[in-house]
């Protein structure tokens, strides 16, 4: 008998989602005006320990809005790790600025902070650390560098809900933190995002630009002094977000337990590199990411195909940004070498990582993976 398919990630909607959405719908509050938006923002800010949280339509919009609020625009450069999802750099392009790439660390896949200084120019305005797959980027030296050079830190915490750096929540470590609530994230609203900050002025700008630059106070006159965006999250979506947030600690614990089980089975196995650890890092394990090394005896792509044939879904790592034609055509400088990103990109995959994964499913994934080894 064929064993059931294990998706790489599926949402867990096990709390008050339906109740809150029903409440929003039955009362007719389905647009972005509505109590759930405010409540989701307030509770998220409290969860993160920040002053302000501003809902948006997705994580990409969060990054764009954060850059705009920080005043980043044409002629500016933003340091972005080359090993990240395209949205990090796309947001910089939307703002009219230029992404400047820095390689990742070989083992964590996170921005190599020691390589940032060599990429700074008089036009550099911001750094965008990304906490890849849930492992926090090394924020202390990055913050020192940013302070020394007067740079804004826009954290891409899309993959890091529940992650902590030196016991501080990711997304609360820079000037602005950006989150995604896409369906595979630790908490999800299907599509959705949030920007966080402690700075009241930045928060005002976030609210102003996300709502087409309607004046923030006074009567709703159709007078606009700037060009803004419609990045408003609907109340129905925030209703799901609030229900998810009520269970965030459970979901993060479940993902960490997945990782513990995977580590137990896979650490030390020939040809497999398990996720790196750092003393400063509390990893929320958004995804359990491994490298298939040469001595596994089968390529990463062949491993993915082999697992797929056995009903196990995986995803390959990002293709580094310096290899993205769209960014080259935009005018991003892709010269130089990025050996660590290349290494990870060629060998990395992530295994099924849903919060609701069972011990039996993890055992099956590991068994099938190891059976593929030559
Ligand atoms: C690192 C990173 N940044 C940004 C995003 C964009 O988020 P969204 O898909 O909600 O636009 C993602 C998406 O998953 C991501 O992984």
């Amino acid at each position: 008998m064929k064993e059931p398919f294990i998706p790489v990630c599926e949402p867990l909607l096990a709390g008050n989602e339906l109740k809150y959405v029903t409440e929003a719908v039955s009362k007719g509050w389905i647009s972005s005006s509505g109590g759930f938006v405010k409540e989701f923002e307030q509770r998220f800010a409290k969860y993160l320990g920040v002053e302000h949280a501003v809902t948006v339509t997705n994580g990409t919009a969060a990054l764009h809005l954060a850059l705009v609020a920080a005043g980043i625009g044409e002629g500016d450069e933003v340091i972005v790790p080359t090993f990240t999802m395209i949205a990090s750099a796309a947001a910089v392009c939307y703002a009219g600025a230029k992404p400047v790439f820095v390689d990742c660390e070989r083992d964590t896949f996170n921005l190599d902070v020691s390589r940032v200084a060599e990429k700074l120019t008089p036009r550099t305005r911001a750094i965008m650390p990304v906490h890849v797959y849930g492992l926090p980027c090394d924020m202390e030296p990055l913050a020192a560098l940013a302070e020394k050079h007067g740079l804004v830190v826009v954290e891409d915490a899309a993959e890091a809900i529940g992650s902590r750096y030196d016991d501080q929540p990711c997304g609360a470590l820079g000037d602005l933190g950006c989150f995604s609530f896409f369906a595979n994230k630790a908490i999800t609203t299907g599509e959705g995002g949030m920007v966080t900050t402690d700075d009241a002025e930045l928060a005002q700008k976030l609210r102003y630009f996300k709502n087409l630059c309607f004046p923030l106070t006074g009567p709703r006159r159709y007078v606009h002094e700037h060009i803004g965006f419609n990045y408003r999250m609907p109340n129905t979506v925030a209703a799901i977000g609030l229900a998810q947030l009520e269970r965030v600690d459970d979901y993060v614990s479940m993902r960490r337990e997945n990782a513990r089980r995977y580590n137990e089975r896979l650490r030390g196995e020939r040809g497999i590199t398990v996720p790196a650890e750092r003393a400063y890092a509390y990893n929320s394990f958004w995804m359990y990411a491994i490298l298939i090394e040469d001595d596994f005896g089968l390529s990463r792509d062949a491993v993915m195909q082999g697992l797929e044939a056995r009903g196990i879904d995986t995803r390959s790592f990002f293709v580094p940004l310096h290899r993205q034609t769209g960014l080259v055509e935009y005018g991003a400088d892709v010269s130089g070498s990025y050996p660590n990103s290349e290494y990870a990109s060629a060998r990395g995959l992530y295994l099924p990582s849903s919060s609701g994964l069972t011990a039996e499913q993890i055992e099956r994934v590991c068994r099938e993976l190891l059976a593929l080894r030559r």
Side-chain angles (χ1 to χ4, degrees):
M1 203 179 71
K2 211 171 165 198
E3 295 206 71
F5 178 71
I6 306 178
V8 75
C9 196
E10 58 187 349
L12 197 54
L13 301 157
N16 286 320
E17 289 81 2
L18 199 56
K19 182 177 162 210
Y20 294 165
V21 172
T22 304
E23 189 181 321
V25 172
S26 61
K27 289 184 178 163
W29 289 102
I30 60 168
S31 80
S32 57
S33 314
F36 285 119
V37 174
K38 199 172 260 178
E39 200 171 346
F40 184 33
E41 290 179 343
Q42 285 171 352
R43 296 259 193 107
F44 196 86
K46 197 165 169 215
Y47 167 67
L48 221 66
V50 294
E51 291 294 322
H52 311 275
V54 178
T55 47
V56 287
T57 43
N58 55 63
T60 312
L63 290 166
H64 177 210
L65 189 67
L67 291 165
V68 169
I72 311 285
E74 212 180 311
D76 296 334
E77 293 178 359
V78 179
I79 300 289
V80 178
T82 185
F83 190 75
T84 179
M85 198 253 193
I86 189 73
S88 311
V92 176
C93 301
Y94 300 167
K98 218 165 130 184
V100 173
F101 304 126
V102 172
D103 201 5
C104 65
E105 294 176 331
R106 172 71 172 255
D107 61 343
T108 64
F109 319 132
N110 278 328
L111 177 72
D112 184 345
V113 179
S114 71
R115 305 295 301 271
V116 171
E118 67 199 65
K119 292 289 183 110
L120 299 179
T121 77
R123 292 177 298 283
T124 314
R125 289 281 317 283
I127 311 183
M128 186 186 288
V130 184
H131 310 294
V132 176
Y133 304 131
L135 179 70
C137 178
D138 193 1
M139 292 299 288
E140 202 177 301
L142 186 138
L145 197 73
E147 194 175 340
K148 182 173 167 198
H149 296 277
L151 306 174
V152 178
V153 176
V154 178
E155 266 184 280
D156 182 342
E159 303 179 358
I161 298 163
S163 299
R164 299 174 81 81
Y165 176 88
D166 273 348
D167 215 27
Q168 301 296 312
C170 289
L173 302 160
D175 297 288
L176 293 136
C178 301
F179 291 88
S180 163
F181 304 126
F182 182 65
N184 59 15
K185 298 302 189 293
I187 66 167
T188 180
T189 58
E191 299 280 359
M194 191 81 84
V195 188
T196 54
T197 183
D198 278 327
D199 184 315
E201 207 175 308
L202 283 175
Q204 290 275 79
K205 287 187 179 154
L206 293 169
R207 295 195 182 285
Y208 178 64
F209 280 104
K210 86 168 223 187
N211 189 24
L212 292 163
C213 296
F214 273 99
L216 287 171
T217 53
R220 187 183 168 96
R221 289 178 303 121
Y222 290 88
V223 175
H224 303 262
E225 289 176 6
H226 303 94
I227 302 295
F229 318 96
N230 178 352
Y231 285 164
R232 301 184 303 249
M233 176 184 276
N235 199 43
T236 42
V237 171
I240 298 174
L242 181 64
Q244 288 272 297
L245 187 58
E246 288 171 352
R247 312 233 9 214
V248 62
D249 291 339
D250 293 342
Y251 294 157
V252 172
S253 298
M254 289 160 123
R255 296 216 182 203
R256 283 176 52 81
E257 180 60 11
N258 290 346
R260 193 193 61 74
R261 290 197 163 114
Y262 275 129
N263 275 338
E264 210 170 80
R265 274 298 255 119
L266 299 178
R267 179 177 281 132
E269 288 291 345
R270 172 175 54 84
I272 296 176
T273 298
V274 300
E277 288 174 10
R278 286 287 190 274
Y280 55 67
Y282 181 90
N283 190 343
S284 61
F285 287 101
W286 170 58
M287 291 292 162
Y288 187 81
I290 60 171
L291 297 179
I292 304 297
E293 306 286 358
D294 296 346
D295 59 348
F296 191 88
L298 205 61
S299 72
R300 183 271 314 273
D301 290 352
V303 168
M304 290 179 68
Q305 283 161 17
L307 288 174
E308 194 185 346
R310 289 159 181 78
I312 295 166
D313 199 18
T314 59
R315 291 285 181 282
S316 56
F317 274 17
F318 306 120
V319 172
L321 299 185
H322 65 275
R323 293 206 167 267
Q324 305 288 353
T325 309
L327 292 170
V328 175
E329 287 189 356
Y330 179 80
D333 179 4
V334 295
S335 63
S337 68
Y338 305 88
N340 295 340
S341 298
E342 297 279 358
Y343 188 93
S345 177
R347 292 168 181 78
L349 62 84
Y350 49 89
L351 296 172
S353 299
S354 310
S355 300
L357 214 59
T358 64
E360 292 70 34
Q361 286 174 313
I362 291 173
E363 173 53 32
R364 188 179 133 208
V365 172
C366 295
R367 194 175 60 240
E368 298 288 10
L369 172 63
L370 294 173
L372 289 169
R373 197 167 49 180
R374 300 282 156 83

